[in-house]
Amino acid sequence: MQSQATSRILMIRPVRFGFNAETAESNAFQDIKLAAQTKDVAQEDARREFDEMARQLQAVGVDVMVYDDTTEPYTPDSIFPNNWVSLHASGTVVLYPMQAENRRLERRPDIINDLAERFHVAKVVDLTHFEQEGKFLEGTGSMVLDRMNKVAFACLSPRTHPEVLAEFSRQTGYRIVPFRAADADGKAVYHTNVLMCIADTFAVVCLSAITDPDERLMVRQELERLNKRIIDISLEQMASFAGNMLMVLTQKGQKLLVMSTRAHASLTAKQIDLLDDYATLVHFDLPIIEGNGGGSARCMMAEVHLPLR
């Protein structure tokens, strides 16, 4: 059985980070007021937040592979690489169709080529042609993967299309669990990974965001069938990125649950105690990245499950 977590993480250091107007319509987590206040310092502060997170992860034993973004083309969201690529233990690399045109420019063949020198890449599944049809699937933002059981949970949205999900399933063998979700204001949740995190033996999920009672029950039952202990979070905690966590390993095999400080602060003492039974909680201060980018700690990490050469 494949491991759910890995000690190898790909991260992209930003060079022109900022509020992306092309993504704001479908991403309610972007804060336009904060963006206006921090416009002149967003890149500098985001790079500082990024560097501190990468440094601390490396210090505790995570193999963090940092690539610098390029100044051209303009890619304000390049700090979130998990949306354009996923890297699998089978040696498969999947490239994804992105809704925003300026996010499509984030795809970096040079990074894939560099990884192929260290890891075994058996095949590349390119789904980007769906962009021509206006159909999108934004990687492990759109899908939260149970890699151990090859099940993909997917919240349908303008960025997560059923046809692309079906093709991902056909190409990779993952079984799809689709559902719909909305935030406290009734706006569709743009990415699945802001409402749920799946680890080896537990799952953090905002069940109340799943609007249809039957779908909510289905998701709960699926997680229980996969033997995941469910830690339910509220809509308010989801809005603080408490669903945007990722379990990673140190090179010695220690389990870490990575999140932002804002997410950690939103958790109750009982939730922290529960999670602490499963992994060591680590959190990082990411206010500029979260407010301007509408994504948090999990979005900044693309897991490298590729086998070593």
Side-chain angles (χ1 to χ4, degrees), residues 251-272:
Q251 293 175 73
K252 293 182 178 180
Q254 180 187 4
K255 297 174 185 178
L256 307 177
L257 188 60
V258 181
M259 68 195 77
S260 73
T261 297
R262 179 180 174 187
H264 187 269
S266 77
L267 298 174
T268 66
K270 182 178 179 181
Q271 289 169 330
I272 290 173

Side-chain angles (χ1 to χ4, degrees), residues 79 96 152 199:
I79 201 169
Y96 294 95

Side-chain angles (χ1 to χ4, degrees), residues 17-155:
F17 175 83
F19 184 87
N20 188 351
E22 288 190 28
T23 61
E25 183 179 351
S26 60
N27 185 346
F29 290 79
Q30 287 177 251
D31 185 342
I32 194 166
K33 291 182 179 178
L34 176 73
Q37 295 167 0
T38 61
K39 182 178 180 180
D40 294 335
V41 297
Q43 161 57 26
E44 180 183 347
D45 288 352
R47 187 179 63 234
R48 188 179 302 113
E49 291 173 4
F50 173 95
D51 285 341
E52 186 61 17
M53 176 173 164
R55 184 191 68 78
Q56 290 191 41
L57 285 172
Q58 289 168 333
V60 295
V62 180
D63 181 3
V64 181
M65 290 166 270
V66 175
Y67 290 87
D68 287 313
D69 189 17
T70 54
T71 54
E72 294 293 339
Y74 175 53
T75 51
D77 280 329
S78 62
I79 201 169
F80 305 131
N82 78 309
N83 298 142
W84 65 263
V85 67
S86 63
L87 307 155
H88 300 263
S90 62
T92 300
V93 173
V94 186
L95 302 175
Y96 294 95
M98 312 277 280
Q99 184 186 48
E101 290 188 17
N102 64 10
R103 293 218 62 192
R104 300 170 191 175
L105 303 172
E106 296 172 25
R107 294 190 288 257
R108 295 273 299 274
D110 61 310
I111 291 178
I112 303 303
N113 292 337
D114 189 65
L115 290 172
E117 293 185 6
R118 180 179 173 188
F119 302 96
H120 176 64
V121 175
K123 68 173 181 176
V124 176
V125 174
D126 189 345
L127 303 176
T128 62
H129 59 90
F130 280 102
E131 289 169 350
Q132 300 166 22
E133 303 174 39
K135 298 168 183 174
F136 313 110
L137 184 68
E138 298 188 338
T140 54
S142 287
M143 301 177 292
V144 173
L145 304 180
D146 181 340
R147 294 178 184 263
M148 299 164 65
N149 299 289
K150 298 199 78 171
V151 178
F153 290 78
C155 170

Side-chain angles (χ1 to χ4, degrees), residues 55-307:
R55 184 191 68 78
Q56 290 191 41
L57 285 172
Q58 289 168 333
V60 295
V62 180
D63 181 3
V64 181
M65 290 166 270
V66 175
Y67 290 87
D68 287 313
D69 189 17
T70 54
T71 54
E72 294 293 339
Y74 175 53
T75 51
D77 280 329
S78 62
I79 201 169
F80 305 131
N82 78 309
N83 298 142
W84 65 263
V85 67
S86 63
L87 307 155
H88 300 263
S90 62
T92 300
V93 173
V94 186
L95 302 175
Y96 294 95
M98 312 277 280
Q99 184 186 48
E101 290 188 17
N102 64 10
R103 293 218 62 192
R104 300 170 191 175
L105 303 172
E106 296 172 25
R107 294 190 288 257
R108 295 273 299 274
D110 61 310
I111 291 178
I112 303 303
N113 292 337
D114 189 65
L115 290 172
E117 293 185 6
R118 180 179 173 188
F119 302 96
H120 176 64
V121 175
K123 68 173 181 176
V124 176
V125 174
D126 189 345
L127 303 176
T128 62
H129 59 90
F130 280 102
E131 289 169 350
Q132 300 166 22
E133 303 174 39
K135 298 168 183 174
F136 313 110
L137 184 68
E138 298 188 338
T140 54
S142 287
M143 301 177 292
V144 173
L145 304 180
D146 181 340
R147 294 178 184 263
M148 299 164 65
N149 299 289
K150 298 199 78 171
V151 178
F153 290 78
C155 170
L156 301 178
S157 77
R159 303 198 196 183
T160 305
H161 196 281
E163 284 186 39
V164 197
L165 279 168
E167 182 61 15
F168 172 83
S169 175
R170 190 181 75 80
Q171 293 277 2
T172 64
Y174 272 79
R175 181 168 61 86
I176 308 298
V177 179
F179 57 93
R180 297 183 184 276
D183 63 17
D185 296 321
K187 187 179 176 80
V189 174
Y190 81 108
H191 273 167
T192 312
N193 76 358
V194 296
L195 71 87
M196 79 186 312
C197 157
I198 293 179
D200 52 353
T201 58
F202 68 95
V204 177
V205 58
C206 181
L207 288 168
S208 55
I210 303 173
T211 47
D212 182 273
D214 291 336
E215 291 184 345
R216 189 183 312 134
L217 179 61
M218 173 199 64
V219 169
R220 176 185 285 279
Q221 290 176 337
E222 282 286 348
L223 291 170
E224 290 173 345
R225 190 185 67 80
L226 297 169
N227 296 314
K228 309 296 183 186
R229 169 69 182 272
I230 296 173
I231 297 162
D232 197 3
I233 58 173
S234 67
L235 288 165
E236 292 75 19
Q237 289 174 317
M238 180 183 76
S240 294
F241 293 102
N244 199 239
M245 304 175 179
L246 181 67
M247 191 178 82
V248 304
L249 303 177
T250 69
Q251 293 175 73
K252 293 182 178 180
Q254 180 187 4
K255 297 174 185 178
L256 307 177
L257 188 60
V258 181
M259 68 195 77
S260 73
T261 297
R262 179 180 174 187
H264 187 269
S266 77
L267 298 174
T268 66
K270 182 178 179 181
Q271 289 169 330
I272 290 173
D273 285 344
L274 279 171
L275 290 169
D276 202 42
D277 288 339
Y278 297 108
T280 299
L281 276 54
V282 292
H283 57 89
F284 307 98
D285 205 20
L286 305 170
I288 298 300
I289 292 171
E290 289 177 327
N292 284 271
S296 189
R298 190 277 169 268
C299 304
M300 296 166 64
M301 299 178 287
E303 306 138 278
V304 182
H305 283 270
L306 296 170

